[in-house]
């Protein structure tokens, strides 16, 4: 059964003729699995893919989903997930954790918070303190 499924996935991938359509978009969902589309921000795509695809492979393996990819073919990127309801929920949770941590550690630009640099300097004793 696994072999048939692998052959089906490869056949679907080979038959893609429309640019931007992914294998998961055209994949027939295996019995007992669901297909979900999770909206993500453009700035999170690189984070979720990771260096040489390491992060997305890790998410797929750790969460136990059948298929996982990021679709950036539109202006609103999304993560496509195929798996059991539980594995899809684990992916959703993992993505939320990764993106939350990324946002919490993201530097605040001076344009969006003009007093941030001054506050930071003051909280560390300032530049001329002494």
């Amino acid at each position: 059964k696994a072999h048939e499924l692998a052959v089906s996935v490869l056949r679907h991938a080979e038959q893609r003729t429309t640019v931007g359509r992914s294998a998961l978009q055209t994949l027939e969902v295996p019995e007992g699995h669901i297909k979900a589309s999770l909206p993500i921000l453009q700035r999170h795509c690189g984070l979720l893919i990771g260096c040489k695809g390491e992060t997305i492979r890790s998410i797929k393996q750790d969460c136990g989903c059948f298929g996982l990819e990021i679709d950036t073919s539109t202006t609103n990127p999304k993560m496509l997930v195929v798996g059991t309801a539980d594995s899809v929920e684990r992916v959703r949770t993992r993505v939320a954790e990764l993106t939350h941590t990324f946002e919490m550690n993201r530097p605040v630009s001076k344009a969006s918070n003009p007093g941030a640099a001054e506050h930071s300097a003051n909280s560390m004793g300032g530049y001329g303190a002494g």
Side-chain angles (χ1 to χ4, degrees):
K1 196 163 190 168
H3 176 71
E4 291 172 12
L5 192 53
V7 169
S8 174
V9 169
L10 291 173
R11 215 175 267 136
H12 279 289
E14 290 173 348
Q15 292 174 353
R16 289 189 314 186
T17 56
T18 306
V19 174
R21 293 204 63 198
S22 70
L24 288 185
Q25 287 174 321
T26 59
L27 176 70
E28 291 180 35
V29 179
E31 187 176 328
H33 290 71
I34 61 172
K35 187 187 308 187
S37 175
L38 312 176
I40 58 175
L41 297 175
Q42 185 71 42
R43 69 176 174 256
H44 293 156
C45 290
L47 166 76
L48 295 171
I49 293 169
C51 182
K52 298 183 182 179
E54 185 176 308
T55 303
I56 197 166
R57 278 193 303 273
S58 171
I59 294 170
K60 181 180 176 188
Q61 182 177 5
D62 295 349
C63 296
C65 60
F66 175 76
L68 182 64
E69 66 182 38
I70 294 178
D71 177 11
T72 58
S73 64
T74 67
T75 56
N76 299 314
K78 57 191 170 224
M79 181 172 273
L80 303 172
V81 187
V82 175
T84 63
D86 287 341
S87 67
V88 170
E89 190 55 38
R90 285 191 296 270
V91 169
R92 188 184 315 271
T93 300
R94 180 83 175 272
V95 167
E97 290 169 352
L98 288 169
T99 56
H100 177 74
T101 301
F102 175 80
E103 291 298 325
M104 295 304 295
N105 293 319
R106 195 167 160 228
V108 178
S109 71
K110 291 180 184 177
S112 64
N113 189 356
E118 181 181 324
H119 174 72
S120 178
N122 289 338
S123 67
M124 294 195 287
Y127 291 108

